[in-house]
Amino acid sequence: MQQPGIRGTRIIALAVLAGSLALVAGCANHSASSSVYTYGQAQREQIVRTGTVEAVRPVTIQTDQSTGAGVAAGGALGGVAGSTIGGGRGSVLAAIGGGLLGAMAGNTVENRMGKSQGLEITVRLDNGETRVIAQEADVAISAGQRVRLISGNGPTRVVPM
């Protein structure tokens, strides 16, 4: 009669963990898009400079640091899953092993989710200066194209004219 109680507790723990993971994942909204403004950047005056794109190079944009959510969630899920294997000491060892493997897998998933495709854009401004800006590859930009550089109180964005 003890087994259904333990199994039910594990299912509840798994559901709570999945809900927490969804909540944490929803909070991680980093963007390097030229089309995304934070609330604090809205309704602020920006400086606009014009120029011509000299070169475009594909790059990977990665978040600065890990939140640790992937390690925690993966470790918890792996530990719960591992604890269902065997009984007694074997169950404890399986839970430890599952926790370690889950933590490693969770970290890998979080690192992959923290990357996006970007462009390193070299622009020769009309005043002769050269600027290089990296941003997400969500807007088509190519060498020879006329663009606007929008900056002030935050990031600089390259936007086609």
Side-chain angles (χ1 to χ4, degrees), residues 73-101:
L77 285 171
V80 170
S83 69
T84 63
I85 298 171
R89 240 190 183 143
S91 178
V92 171
L93 292 175
I96 292 170
L100 291 173
L101 291 173

Side-chain angles (χ1 to χ4, degrees), residues 26-117:
C27 295
N29 285 330
H30 298 287
S31 177
S33 171
S34 64
S35 302
V36 176
Y37 286 79
T38 65
Y39 187 80
Q41 293 168 341
Q43 296 183 325
R44 297 202 182 257
E45 183 178 14
Q46 303 281 312
I47 296 168
V48 178
R49 295 171 288 165
T50 57
T52 304
V53 176
E54 287 191 335
V56 178
R57 182 173 75 97
V59 296
T60 299
I61 299 173
Q62 182 172 324
T63 56
D64 293 338
Q65 60 188 24
S66 171
T67 63
V71 172
L77 285 171
V80 170
S83 69
T84 63
I85 298 171
R89 240 190 183 143
S91 178
V92 171
L93 292 175
I96 292 170
L100 291 173
L101 291 173
M104 290 175 14
N107 186 53
T108 300
V109 168
E110 183 179 6
N111 286 337
R112 285 190 181 146
M113 289 178 66
K115 291 182 181 180
S116 61
Q117 296 304 311

Side-chain angles (χ1 to χ4, degrees), residues 135-161:
Q135 66 186 34
E136 282 186 23
D138 61 339
V139 176
I141 295 180
S142 58
Q145 186 174 10
R146 293 286 293 162
V147 294
R148 292 178 295 176
L149 268 62
I150 303 171
S151 59
N153 196 29
T156 297
R157 297 168 170 85
V158 180
V159 181
M161 292 184 86

